Every structure is written in structure tokens, then in C-alpha cells.
Amino acid sequence: MDPVQEGRVVIVGSGLIGCSWAMLFASGGFQVKLYDIVQEQVTKALEKIGKELKELGKTGMLKGTLTADKQLSLISGCTDLKAAVEGAIYLQECTPENLELKKKIFGQLDLIVSNDVILGSSTSCLMPSKLFTGLKHVKQCIVAHPVNPPYYVPLVELVPHPETEPSTVEKTYALMKKIGQSPVRLTKEIDGFALNRLQYAIISEAWRLVGDGVISSDDLDLVMSDGLGMRYAFIGPLETMHLNAEGMLNYCDRYREGMIRVLKTFGPIPDFAGKTEQKINQAMCEKTPADPEHLNARRHWRDECLARLAKLKKEIKSD
Ligand code: NAI
């Protein structure tokens, strides 16, 4: 059985992502303080985590080797930020995606944290230079961007501020590995980080193809889910090139001209509005009406698929 770890982790913000991080750190044997501004929210979050851990235990999907009860016992709620951060080794901020709010929170933390704790932010798209510049503890700050749902999709993008200490990156990397996540290091900040830059490139061409009437919305999604996505769950685009010819150099020799020719035909950035928006919205709503009940049912199905895929990937891990 995993020994319970020495260090304590603090989660600031107990919403969707905060709860997931709490469960992930507990699965790795860490004590977790789940902080939020209102006690009611903390209570609700702990109840939700308790239910989810039990369910995961029953279905055999629980991460780590500690029992669901043991993992739950490692997580406690808190509404006193100073008490929460005392003695912590790592803090993961998970408050709403609002620059002013996050800056205020990091400003408060800057006044009360020690020189040892690492301050990570879950932000999806706020640059480290916007979040951390001017903080006394900037060396200890890093963006650690998870992917939804983090319990099943292990990637975490680590994005440093220009003044982040290399040891902060390395320690965060090691911590993420320890809890079973799959961290990647960006050497410098860039808008959209890596994941959203790739995602937006795909969305952009998908939008143009459907907007131009080349393919239906449903078929476009199948190109990913039954085509590219099948292999991308195991190997990325670069390794795909390497394997789809006699190595990378041979791939470039064979396909360089074709790739450049096709890439030159890509249109301008779509406005994601107007007729194409209506057309794609209609197709999506026919499949899943955009009300909470249908959306939640479909999300639940997606999470189940991802959970099974995560299990399969673990079984056949070969790196
Ligand atoms: P959420 O709205 O579910 O949760 C935010 C939580 O922060 C709430 O519990 C709220 O009470 C709490 N909060 C508000 N002000 C606070 C304060 N001053 N101090 C402490 N807690 C406070 O948001 P969600 O979806 O969990 O997102 C959190 C962060 O994670 C955002 O930066 C978001 O961009 C990022 N993220 C979200 C993903 C998603 O798919 N939802 C994926 C990856 C990252």
C-alpha cells in the first residue's frame, strides 16, 4: 500500500477542478486542505468528493492503492487561508478564470507563504507574466494547467514565469508524476500554452470545412473520434509521422511538398459566429440538446469512456 506522504497540499477553490485536484493528491497519499471562501461550498465539495471516491472504489476506477475511505480521510476543508498554507509543500489555485481575482489571491498568498511552498495555478489561458509579475515569491510560482476531467486525462502543462526558478519546475514535475499525472514542461510562456494552440488549430480547420459545406458537422467529428483521435490517444502527431514512413526524414521527404501545398489552402481565422455557428449549433443540439440534463448525461458518458481509456492506457503502457 502507498505510504501516506509527509507533505501537505493546499487547494484554493473547491469547484470542479479544485475537487479533482484534491482527489488526485489524496490518491497519491498526500494530505489535502481544500480551501474556499464560503463554508457551504467547502461542505458541498467534501460531500461530492466522498460520493465520487466511493463510486470509484466500487467500480475499480479508484487511483492509487489507498482505499476510498483512507483517501477521503486525507482531505479536509478549510476557510482560513493562513491556516491552510501553514507548513504546506504545494498549493494549487483553482479559482474562477478571472485575472483580477487571481492576482488578488496570489497577492494575498504572497504575504503569508514561506519561501519553500510552490504556488501553482490551474489557469487555462492566463499567462504567468500577467499572474505572477511583482510577487515577492515569483520564483516559487508556476502555471500547472490540467485538462478536464483531470482524474482521467492526466496531462498537466507546466508553464513558468520568466523568473520562476528551475527547481520550482522540477519539483512540480516530480510531484505531478508522483500523483500519476503526465506533466509536460514549456520552456517559456506562450498564449494558449501548447494544448489550446493545437486544439484551436483543429477547431479552426473543422469550422472552415463545415462552414464551406465540405463535410457535415457529424462527419467532421467522426474524422477525429474514429480517425485521428484513435491513434492520438497513444502516439502524438510527431511520432505518427515517424511511424507512417520509414522514419521522420523519410516522411518529410515523401510528404513535405504535399503538406505545404495543403497548408497553403487553409483559409483565414473564422469568426465563430453567423451562419456557420448556427449550422454547427443545430447539428450539435440534434445530437445533444443544450440543456443541463442532456449535457450532463453526455458528459457522464464521455467521462466513462475516458475512464476506460485511461485504464487501457495504464495496462499497455510501454514507454
Ligand atoms: P469553478 O467555478 O467550478 O470553481 C471555482 C471555485 O473557486 C468555486 O468553488 C468558488 O467558490 C471558488 N472561489 C471563488 N473566489 C475565491 C477566492 N477568493 N478564494 C478561494 N476560492 C474562491 O471553476 P473551475 O471550472 O473549477 O475552474 C477553476 C480554474 O481551473 C480556472 O482557472 C479554470 O480556467 C481552470 N481550468 C478549468 C477547466 C475546466 O474545464 N473547468 C480545465 C482546466 C483548467
Side-chain angles (χ1 to χ4, degrees):
M1 201 178 256
D2 277 345
V4 171
Q5 305 287 333
E6 289 273 304
R8 191 154 52 70
V9 169
V10 182
I11 310 293
V12 176
S14 63
L16 181 73
I17 296 298
C19 287
S20 296
W21 277 117
M23 289 162 61
L24 285 167
F25 281 110
S27 78
F30 287 94
Q31 282 194 34
V32 180
K33 276 264 180 252
L34 189 55
Y35 167 85
D36 210 299
I37 28 174
V38 238
Q39 181 59 49
E40 201 187 333
Q41 169 59 27
V42 177
T43 310
K44 247 178 38 197
L46 289 174
E47 276 169 20
K48 185 182 129 193
I49 289 173
K51 258 198 216 153
E52 281 189 31
L53 287 176
K54 279 212 168 66
E55 191 60 32
L56 289 163
K58 267 196 227 150
T59 54
M61 295 293 189
L62 190 70
K63 288 198 170 198
T65 53
L66 298 171
T67 63
D69 282 343
K70 181 70 203 167
Q71 293 189 24
L72 183 59
S73 76
L74 290 173
I75 307 173
S76 57
C78 185
T79 52
D80 178 344
L81 191 56
K82 200 156 183 231
V85 298
E86 210 170 287
I89 56 159
Y90 183 82
L91 179 146
Q92 183 77 32
E93 171 276 317
C94 310
T95 60
E97 191 75 346
N98 173 316
L99 178 61
E100 287 317 310
L101 174 68
K102 285 189 193 285
K103 274 175 73 171
K104 194 176 122 200
I105 291 165
F106 279 105
Q108 285 168 356
L109 288 167
D110 203 31
L111 300 175
I112 56 176
V113 295
S114 70
N115 291 332
D116 305 316
V117 63
I118 291 174
L119 304 178
S121 171
S122 301
T123 182
S124 308
C125 51
L126 299 171
M127 302 267 254
S129 58
K130 292 261 190 282
L131 283 175
F132 307 137
T133 295
L135 294 179
K136 209 167 59 180
H137 293 91
V138 61
K139 290 178 187 167
Q140 299 156 234
C141 294
I142 189 163
V143 165
H145 171 227
V147 184
N148 196 38
Y151 203 79
Y152 303 119
V153 183
L155 188 84
V156 182
E157 293 184 284
L158 302 182
V159 190
H161 180 279
E163 292 172 63
T164 300
E165 285 253 314
S167 68
T168 300
V169 182
E170 293 324 308
K171 282 185 201 160
T172 310
Y173 186 91
L175 184 62
M176 293 299 152
K177 285 289 233 192
K178 205 164 199 168
I179 61 169
Q181 294 302 88
S182 181
V184 294
R185 288 167 282 219
L186 274 68
T187 57
K188 57 180 178 184
E189 65 177 25
I190 182 164
D191 206 5
F193 311 147
L195 183 135
N196 275 328
R197 291 181 78 88
L198 290 175
Q199 175 162 242
Y200 296 160
I202 292 168
I203 288 177
S204 179
E205 183 56 10
W207 202 268
R208 283 188 292 258
L209 287 171
V210 175
D212 291 348
V214 176
I215 190 168
S216 70
S217 300
D218 285 350
D219 280 359
L220 185 288
D221 273 353
L222 277 178
V223 171
M224 287 305 293
S225 60
D226 280 357
L228 289 175
M230 294 287 286
R231 54 163 95 108
Y232 283 174
F234 298 92
I235 55 171
L238 301 178
E239 192 176 357
T240 296
M241 293 167 81
H242 196 56
L243 299 186
N244 277 5
E246 299 312 311
M248 178 60 84
L249 299 182
N250 181 250
Y251 188 97
C252 289
D253 263 357
R254 282 198 215 173
Y255 301 116
R256 180 181 289 120
E257 271 179 35
M259 283 193 292
I260 294 170
R261 190 191 69 241
V262 173
L263 284 166
K264 280 186 180 161
T265 68
F266 279 34
I269 297 169
D271 58 7
F272 302 109
K275 272 193 192 151
T276 306
E277 184 193 25
Q278 281 173 21
K279 184 171 160 182
I280 295 178
N281 179 49
Q282 195 185 341
M284 291 302 110
C285 289
E286 271 168 27
K287 197 149 105 186
T288 309
D291 56 68
E293 190 191 338
H294 287 93
L295 288 173
N296 281 334
R298 186 74 175 158
R299 286 181 190 126
H300 187 68
W301 172 82
R302 174 202 64 188
D303 290 356
E304 270 188 15
C305 294
L306 290 170
R308 290 201 210 168
L309 180 62
K311 202 170 174 195
L312 175 66
K313 276 174 72 90
K314 205 170 160 194
E315 279 163 22
I316 60 181
K317 204 163 181 65
S318 63
D319 56 338

